[in-house]
Amino acid sequence: PYFQKSAELIGSLSSDDIQTALVNISKGVYSKAVDERINALMKHIRGISGHVMGSAHSRSALRTKIHALCFNIGLPSLFVTINPADIHSPLALYFSGIDLDLDNVILKKMGTSYERAQVIATHPVATAKFFNCLVKSILKCLVLGGVLGPAKAYFGTVESQGRGSLHLHLLIWLNHKFTPAQLKEQIQQDDFRSKLLEYLEDIIKEDLDSFQGIHKT
């Protein structure tokens, strides 16, 4: 219902008006009350760029969703970063076209670290496919599978590193009714503190040596 008014306001703007607004915004002296036409333009830019992946407004939209989850079900229990080592993964190399038997990986066929890095750098789509496959498996087993405990919700955002590889930042809401204040109070008790440490030691592993020789059919 406001399209016609917005179209008229935006259509009346000149390039000089926009340039002046950009200068004022960069200096931190821009006021929404100054120019209704600029306000209308900015409103539509936010609405459109919120759907453009990786834009500033898309990140703002993600933060709004996280805040909504916090208001609805409380603060998250865990913050997890998943950063796959793609240059050392047989699966990533397999997706990149390297002839590997994933049931019997021979290290010599994987090449040196430098050769693997070259393969990964020249196959970004295969690397993204590997990342997607791995993250889906982790979410299915680790979060939905209950390894970390019963989960009420999770929210993840994907970022790229300087070299272009992907990693995931994940918030997890475990299904308990403890508020931060209650946790602070309960952790003063020896029994609760020992159980919390036992839980953390169970879900956090610094190496995979204990899993060697274990194969699930």
Side-chain angles (χ1 to χ4, degrees), residues 203-212:
I203 66 170
I204 298 173
K205 301 295 181 184
E206 295 180 358
D207 62 70
L208 301 178
D209 289 345
S210 59
F211 295 102
Q212 289 185 2

Side-chain angles (χ1 to χ4, degrees), residues 135-189:
V135 167
K136 280 186 175 181
S137 299
I138 290 174
L139 292 177
K140 180 180 178 181
C141 300
L142 192 70
V143 182
L144 300 179
V147 172
L148 301 177
K152 290 188 289 188
Y154 66 89
F155 193 101
T157 59
V158 179
E159 290 182 340
S160 62
Q161 301 178 130
R163 64 185 180 90
S165 61
L166 303 175
H167 63 279
L168 176 73
H169 295 298
L170 186 67
L171 293 172
I172 303 173
W173 284 262
L174 296 179
N175 191 17
H176 62 69
K177 297 181 179 179
F178 280 110
T179 64
Q182 290 172 328
L183 282 173
K184 182 179 179 181
E185 180 181 350
Q186 290 286 333
I187 207 169
Q188 306 302 319
Q189 303 176 14

Side-chain angles (χ1 to χ4, degrees), residues 29-215:
V29 296
Y30 171 72
S31 173
K32 291 184 178 180
V34 173
D35 197 330
E36 185 182 7
R37 300 173 302 166
I38 294 294
N39 295 338
L41 177 62
M42 294 296 292
K43 179 180 178 181
H44 283 275
I45 288 175
R46 284 193 296 270
I48 294 170
S49 62
H51 297 282
V52 179
M53 188 178 295
S55 69
H57 291 301
S58 70
R59 292 194 294 270
S60 178
L62 291 173
R63 285 194 293 268
T64 299
K65 292 178 181 179
I66 293 173
H67 291 157
L69 271 173
C70 291
F71 281 117
N72 186 34
I73 58 178
L75 294 173
S77 307
L78 299 172
F79 174 72
V80 180
T81 297
I82 300 173
N83 190 12
D86 46 15
I87 64 173
H88 302 302
S89 170
L91 184 59
L93 295 174
Y94 178 80
F95 285 150
S96 300
I98 304 300
D99 184 19
L100 289 174
D101 181 3
L102 295 180
D103 293 323
N104 184 27
V105 177
I106 300 175
L107 294 179
K108 290 183 179 180
K109 282 194 173 185
M110 292 180 61
T112 64
S113 295
Y114 182 77
E115 290 171 339
R116 295 196 297 270
Q118 283 183 312
V119 171
I120 294 300
T122 53
H123 294 82
V125 175
T127 307
K129 183 178 179 180
F130 153 74
F131 176 82
N132 184 59
C133 179
L134 180 66
V135 167
K136 280 186 175 181
S137 299
I138 290 174
L139 292 177
K140 180 180 178 181
C141 300
L142 192 70
V143 182
L144 300 179
V147 172
L148 301 177
K152 290 188 289 188
Y154 66 89
F155 193 101
T157 59
V158 179
E159 290 182 340
S160 62
Q161 301 178 130
R163 64 185 180 90
S165 61
L166 303 175
H167 63 279
L168 176 73
H169 295 298
L170 186 67
L171 293 172
I172 303 173
W173 284 262
L174 296 179
N175 191 17
H176 62 69
K177 297 181 179 179
F178 280 110
T179 64
Q182 290 172 328
L183 282 173
K184 182 179 179 181
E185 180 181 350
Q186 290 286 333
I187 207 169
Q188 306 302 319
Q189 303 176 14
D190 292 337
D191 183 55
F192 182 86
R193 186 164 58 246
S194 63
K195 288 182 178 179
L196 178 61
L197 288 173
E198 184 180 339
Y199 163 72
L200 293 174
E201 289 176 353
D202 183 55
I203 66 170
I204 298 173
K205 301 295 181 184
E206 295 180 358
D207 62 70
L208 301 178
D209 289 345
S210 59
F211 295 102
Q212 289 185 2
I214 299 177
H215 300 282

